[in-house]
Short mmCIF file of all heavy atoms in Angstrom, two decimals:
data_model
loop_
_atom_site.label_atom_id
_atom_site.label_comp_id
_atom_site.label_asym_id
_atom_site.label_seq_id
_atom_site.Cartn_x
_atom_site.Cartn_y
_atom_site.Cartn_z
N SER N 1 -45.35 124.73 -44.68
CA SER N 1 -44.67 124.48 -45.95
C SER N 1 -45.67 124.63 -47.07
O SER N 1 -46.88 124.71 -46.83
CB SER N 1 -44.04 123.06 -45.97
OG SER N 1 -45.04 122.07 -45.86
N GLY N 2 -45.15 124.67 -48.32
CA GLY N 2 -46.01 124.69 -49.47
C GLY N 2 -46.13 126.04 -50.17
O GLY N 2 -46.80 126.16 -51.21
N GLY N 3 -45.49 127.04 -49.60
CA GLY N 3 -45.54 128.36 -50.24
C GLY N 3 -44.76 128.38 -51.54
O GLY N 3 -44.04 127.45 -51.90
N GLY N 4 -44.90 129.49 -52.26
CA GLY N 4 -44.19 129.64 -53.53
C GLY N 4 -44.72 130.77 -54.34
O GLY N 4 -45.51 131.58 -53.87
N LEU N 5 -44.30 130.79 -55.58
CA LEU N 5 -44.74 131.83 -56.55
C LEU N 5 -45.80 131.23 -57.46
O LEU N 5 -45.60 130.14 -58.04
CB LEU N 5 -43.53 132.28 -57.40
CG LEU N 5 -43.85 133.25 -58.55
CD1 LEU N 5 -44.42 134.55 -58.04
CD2 LEU N 5 -42.58 133.49 -59.38
N VAL N 6 -46.91 131.93 -57.62
CA VAL N 6 -48.00 131.43 -58.43
C VAL N 6 -48.62 132.61 -59.18
O VAL N 6 -48.61 133.74 -58.68
CB VAL N 6 -49.04 130.70 -57.56
CG1 VAL N 6 -49.69 131.63 -56.55
CG2 VAL N 6 -50.09 130.01 -58.43
N GLU N 7 -49.14 132.33 -60.36
CA GLU N 7 -49.80 133.40 -61.14
C GLU N 7 -51.21 133.66 -60.62
O GLU N 7 -51.83 132.76 -60.01
CB GLU N 7 -49.85 133.00 -62.60
CG GLU N 7 -48.50 132.92 -63.26
CD GLU N 7 -48.57 132.66 -64.75
OE1 GLU N 7 -49.66 132.30 -65.23
OE2 GLU N 7 -47.53 132.80 -65.44
N PRO N 8 -51.74 134.85 -60.84
CA PRO N 8 -53.12 135.13 -60.46
C PRO N 8 -54.07 134.08 -61.04
O PRO N 8 -53.93 133.68 -62.20
CB PRO N 8 -53.34 136.51 -61.04
CG PRO N 8 -52.01 137.14 -61.07
CD PRO N 8 -51.05 136.04 -61.41
N GLY N 9 -55.01 133.66 -60.22
CA GLY N 9 -55.92 132.61 -60.63
C GLY N 9 -55.45 131.20 -60.32
O GLY N 9 -56.22 130.23 -60.44
N GLY N 10 -54.20 131.09 -59.93
CA GLY N 10 -53.64 129.78 -59.61
C GLY N 10 -53.99 129.30 -58.22
O GLY N 10 -54.75 129.93 -57.49
N SER N 11 -53.41 128.14 -57.87
CA SER N 11 -53.70 127.50 -56.59
C SER N 11 -52.42 127.06 -55.89
O SER N 11 -51.43 126.81 -56.53
CB SER N 11 -54.59 126.25 -56.81
OG SER N 11 -55.84 126.59 -57.36
N LEU N 12 -52.51 126.98 -54.59
CA LEU N 12 -51.44 126.43 -53.74
C LEU N 12 -52.08 125.71 -52.58
O LEU N 12 -53.22 126.08 -52.15
CB LEU N 12 -50.54 127.56 -53.21
CG LEU N 12 -49.46 128.17 -54.09
CD1 LEU N 12 -48.77 129.30 -53.34
CD2 LEU N 12 -48.46 127.12 -54.52
N ARG N 13 -51.37 124.74 -52.05
CA ARG N 13 -51.82 124.08 -50.83
C ARG N 13 -50.70 124.20 -49.79
O ARG N 13 -49.60 123.71 -50.03
CB ARG N 13 -52.19 122.62 -51.02
CG ARG N 13 -52.85 122.02 -49.81
CD ARG N 13 -53.32 120.60 -49.98
NE ARG N 13 -52.23 119.63 -49.83
CZ ARG N 13 -52.38 118.36 -49.53
NH1 ARG N 13 -53.61 117.88 -49.34
NH2 ARG N 13 -51.33 117.55 -49.46
N LEU N 14 -51.01 124.86 -48.71
CA LEU N 14 -50.08 124.94 -47.60
C LEU N 14 -50.35 123.86 -46.58
O LEU N 14 -51.48 123.41 -46.42
CB LEU N 14 -50.19 126.31 -46.91
CG LEU N 14 -50.07 127.54 -47.81
CD1 LEU N 14 -50.10 128.81 -46.95
CD2 LEU N 14 -48.83 127.50 -48.66
N SER N 15 -49.30 123.47 -45.88
CA SER N 15 -49.44 122.49 -44.79
C SER N 15 -48.86 123.08 -43.51
O SER N 15 -47.90 123.84 -43.54
CB SER N 15 -48.67 121.22 -45.12
OG SER N 15 -49.21 120.58 -46.28
N CYS N 16 -49.46 122.68 -42.43
CA CYS N 16 -48.96 123.05 -41.08
C CYS N 16 -48.86 121.77 -40.29
O CYS N 16 -49.88 121.13 -40.00
CB CYS N 16 -49.93 124.01 -40.43
SG CYS N 16 -49.57 124.36 -38.66
N VAL N 17 -47.65 121.37 -39.98
CA VAL N 17 -47.41 120.13 -39.23
C VAL N 17 -47.08 120.50 -37.80
O VAL N 17 -46.20 121.30 -37.52
CB VAL N 17 -46.26 119.33 -39.87
CG1 VAL N 17 -46.03 118.05 -39.05
CG2 VAL N 17 -46.59 119.00 -41.30
N ALA N 18 -47.81 119.90 -36.89
CA ALA N 18 -47.56 120.09 -35.46
C ALA N 18 -46.67 118.99 -34.92
O ALA N 18 -46.77 117.83 -35.33
CB ALA N 18 -48.89 120.09 -34.69
N SER N 19 -45.76 119.40 -34.01
CA SER N 19 -44.85 118.42 -33.45
C SER N 19 -45.58 117.31 -32.69
O SER N 19 -45.23 116.15 -32.72
CB SER N 19 -43.86 119.08 -32.53
OG SER N 19 -44.53 119.78 -31.47
N GLU N 20 -46.63 117.73 -32.05
CA GLU N 20 -47.41 116.76 -31.27
C GLU N 20 -48.71 117.39 -30.82
O GLU N 20 -48.73 118.49 -30.30
CB GLU N 20 -46.63 116.32 -30.01
CG GLU N 20 -47.36 115.39 -29.12
CD GLU N 20 -46.59 115.02 -27.87
OE1 GLU N 20 -45.44 115.44 -27.75
OE2 GLU N 20 -47.15 114.34 -27.01
N PHE N 21 -49.77 116.70 -31.08
CA PHE N 21 -51.02 117.10 -30.47
C PHE N 21 -51.26 116.25 -29.23
O PHE N 21 -50.84 115.08 -29.21
CB PHE N 21 -52.19 116.87 -31.43
CG PHE N 21 -52.30 117.90 -32.56
CD1 PHE N 21 -52.53 117.54 -33.87
CD2 PHE N 21 -52.16 119.24 -32.27
CE1 PHE N 21 -52.63 118.48 -34.86
CE2 PHE N 21 -52.25 120.21 -33.29
CZ PHE N 21 -52.49 119.82 -34.54
N SER N 22 -51.89 116.79 -28.25
CA SER N 22 -52.22 116.04 -27.07
C SER N 22 -53.33 115.08 -27.43
O SER N 22 -53.70 114.94 -28.59
CB SER N 22 -52.66 116.98 -25.96
OG SER N 22 -53.84 117.63 -26.33
N SER N 23 -53.90 114.44 -26.49
CA SER N 23 -54.97 113.49 -26.76
C SER N 23 -56.14 114.21 -27.43
O SER N 23 -56.95 113.61 -28.14
CB SER N 23 -55.44 112.82 -25.47
OG SER N 23 -55.85 113.81 -24.54
N GLU N 24 -56.22 115.52 -27.24
CA GLU N 24 -57.22 116.35 -27.89
C GLU N 24 -56.49 117.38 -28.76
O GLU N 24 -55.78 118.25 -28.23
CB GLU N 24 -58.12 117.05 -26.88
CG GLU N 24 -59.27 117.78 -27.47
CD GLU N 24 -60.22 118.35 -26.44
OE1 GLU N 24 -60.05 117.99 -25.27
OE2 GLU N 24 -61.07 119.17 -26.78
N PRO N 25 -56.63 117.34 -30.05
CA PRO N 25 -55.88 118.26 -30.92
C PRO N 25 -56.23 119.70 -30.70
O PRO N 25 -57.35 120.03 -30.34
CB PRO N 25 -56.26 117.80 -32.33
CG PRO N 25 -56.75 116.38 -32.16
CD PRO N 25 -57.40 116.34 -30.83
N HIS N 26 -55.25 120.58 -30.96
CA HIS N 26 -55.46 122.01 -30.84
C HIS N 26 -56.20 122.56 -32.04
O HIS N 26 -56.01 122.09 -33.17
CB HIS N 26 -54.11 122.73 -30.71
CG HIS N 26 -53.38 122.46 -29.45
ND1 HIS N 26 -53.09 123.48 -28.55
CD2 HIS N 26 -52.88 121.34 -28.90
CE1 HIS N 26 -52.44 122.97 -27.51
NE2 HIS N 26 -52.30 121.67 -27.72
N ALA N 27 -56.96 123.61 -31.81
CA ALA N 27 -57.45 124.43 -32.92
C ALA N 27 -56.23 125.08 -33.61
O ALA N 27 -55.24 125.35 -32.95
CB ALA N 27 -58.39 125.52 -32.41
N ILE N 28 -56.37 125.32 -34.88
CA ILE N 28 -55.30 125.94 -35.65
C ILE N 28 -55.83 127.11 -36.42
O ILE N 28 -56.87 127.01 -37.11
CB ILE N 28 -54.64 124.95 -36.62
CG1 ILE N 28 -53.94 123.79 -35.89
CG2 ILE N 28 -53.68 125.67 -37.55
CD1 ILE N 28 -52.71 124.19 -35.13
N GLY N 29 -55.16 128.23 -36.29
CA GLY N 29 -55.51 129.41 -37.09
C GLY N 29 -54.44 129.66 -38.14
O GLY N 29 -53.27 129.32 -37.94
N TRP N 30 -54.88 130.18 -39.27
CA TRP N 30 -53.94 130.64 -40.31
C TRP N 30 -54.00 132.18 -40.39
O TRP N 30 -55.10 132.75 -40.40
CB TRP N 30 -54.32 130.05 -41.66
CG TRP N 30 -53.87 128.64 -41.87
CD1 TRP N 30 -54.59 127.52 -41.65
CD2 TRP N 30 -52.60 128.21 -42.33
NE1 TRP N 30 -53.84 126.36 -41.97
CE2 TRP N 30 -52.63 126.78 -42.39
CE3 TRP N 30 -51.42 128.86 -42.73
CZ2 TRP N 30 -51.52 126.04 -42.81
CZ3 TRP N 30 -50.34 128.11 -43.15
CH2 TRP N 30 -50.38 126.71 -43.20
N PHE N 31 -52.81 132.74 -40.46
CA PHE N 31 -52.69 134.19 -40.56
C PHE N 31 -51.81 134.49 -41.78
O PHE N 31 -51.07 133.62 -42.23
CB PHE N 31 -52.05 134.77 -39.30
CG PHE N 31 -52.92 134.67 -38.08
CD1 PHE N 31 -53.11 133.45 -37.43
CD2 PHE N 31 -53.53 135.81 -37.59
CE1 PHE N 31 -53.90 133.39 -36.30
CE2 PHE N 31 -54.33 135.74 -36.45
CZ PHE N 31 -54.52 134.52 -35.79
N ARG N 32 -51.83 135.73 -42.21
CA ARG N 32 -50.88 136.16 -43.22
C ARG N 32 -50.48 137.61 -42.93
O ARG N 32 -51.22 138.35 -42.30
CB ARG N 32 -51.47 136.04 -44.63
CG ARG N 32 -52.65 136.99 -44.90
CD ARG N 32 -53.23 136.68 -46.26
NE ARG N 32 -54.38 137.54 -46.56
CZ ARG N 32 -55.24 137.33 -47.56
NH1 ARG N 32 -55.02 136.30 -48.38
NH2 ARG N 32 -56.23 138.19 -47.76
N GLN N 33 -49.30 137.92 -43.45
CA GLN N 33 -48.79 139.27 -43.23
C GLN N 33 -48.12 139.75 -44.50
O GLN N 33 -47.13 139.14 -44.97
CB GLN N 33 -47.82 139.31 -42.06
CG GLN N 33 -47.38 140.71 -41.65
CD GLN N 33 -46.73 140.74 -40.28
OE1 GLN N 33 -46.26 139.73 -39.78
NE2 GLN N 33 -46.68 141.91 -39.67
N ALA N 34 -48.67 140.81 -45.03
CA ALA N 34 -48.10 141.44 -46.24
C ALA N 34 -47.07 142.49 -45.78
O ALA N 34 -47.14 143.00 -44.67
CB ALA N 34 -49.17 142.08 -47.08
N PRO N 35 -46.11 142.83 -46.65
CA PRO N 35 -45.09 143.82 -46.27
C PRO N 35 -45.76 145.14 -45.86
O PRO N 35 -46.62 145.66 -46.54
CB PRO N 35 -44.30 143.98 -47.59
CG PRO N 35 -44.47 142.70 -48.30
CD PRO N 35 -45.87 142.26 -47.95
N GLY N 36 -45.33 145.64 -44.70
CA GLY N 36 -45.82 146.90 -44.23
C GLY N 36 -47.21 146.87 -43.62
O GLY N 36 -47.76 147.92 -43.29
N LYS N 37 -47.79 145.68 -43.49
CA LYS N 37 -49.12 145.56 -42.96
C LYS N 37 -49.15 144.69 -41.70
O LYS N 37 -48.20 143.93 -41.45
CB LYS N 37 -50.09 144.99 -43.99
CG LYS N 37 -50.28 145.88 -45.20
CD LYS N 37 -51.39 145.38 -46.10
CE LYS N 37 -51.64 146.32 -47.26
NZ LYS N 37 -52.74 145.80 -48.16
N GLU N 38 -50.21 144.81 -40.94
CA GLU N 38 -50.34 143.99 -39.74
C GLU N 38 -50.72 142.57 -40.14
O GLU N 38 -51.25 142.29 -41.19
CB GLU N 38 -51.44 144.60 -38.86
CG GLU N 38 -51.09 145.94 -38.25
CD GLU N 38 -52.11 146.39 -37.22
OE1 GLU N 38 -53.15 145.71 -37.07
OE2 GLU N 38 -51.87 147.40 -36.58
N ARG N 39 -50.45 141.67 -39.20
CA ARG N 39 -50.78 140.27 -39.41
C ARG N 39 -52.30 140.15 -39.40
O ARG N 39 -52.98 140.65 -38.53
CB ARG N 39 -50.16 139.41 -38.31
CG ARG N 39 -50.17 137.92 -38.60
CD ARG N 39 -49.24 137.21 -37.69
NE ARG N 39 -47.83 137.60 -37.89
CZ ARG N 39 -46.81 136.96 -37.34
NH1 ARG N 39 -47.00 135.92 -36.55
NH2 ARG N 39 -45.56 137.37 -37.57
N GLU N 40 -52.81 139.41 -40.39
CA GLU N 40 -54.26 139.30 -40.63
C GLU N 40 -54.69 137.85 -40.47
O GLU N 40 -54.11 136.94 -41.07
CB GLU N 40 -54.58 139.77 -42.06
CG GLU N 40 -55.98 139.52 -42.52
CD GLU N 40 -56.14 139.68 -44.04
OE1 GLU N 40 -55.13 139.68 -44.76
OE2 GLU N 40 -57.31 139.82 -44.50
N ALA N 41 -55.76 137.65 -39.69
CA ALA N 41 -56.31 136.29 -39.55
C ALA N 41 -57.15 135.95 -40.77
O ALA N 41 -57.94 136.79 -41.24
CB ALA N 41 -57.17 136.23 -38.29
#
């Protein structure tokens, strides 16, 4: 969550909520995908 429209130079904070972490939390990666492009880490 947290996406939206922002002007160049602006800021946003995204959140990723996991349903449940085990006793040891998982590593989390963030990726993005622009139209017509491959998903980028």
Side-chain angles (χ1 to χ4, degrees):
S1 63
L5 173 64
V6 63
E7 294 185 347
S11 298
L12 281 176
R13 189 177 80 158
L14 306 185
S15 298
C16 172
V17 179
S19 59
E20 178 183 354
F21 284 136
S22 64
S23 58
E24 186 174 349
H26 290 242
I28 295 292
W30 280 95
F31 292 74
R32 66 186 179 191
Q33 189 165 19
K37 295 188 176 181
E38 293 187 354
R39 195 165 295 190
E40 171 194 18

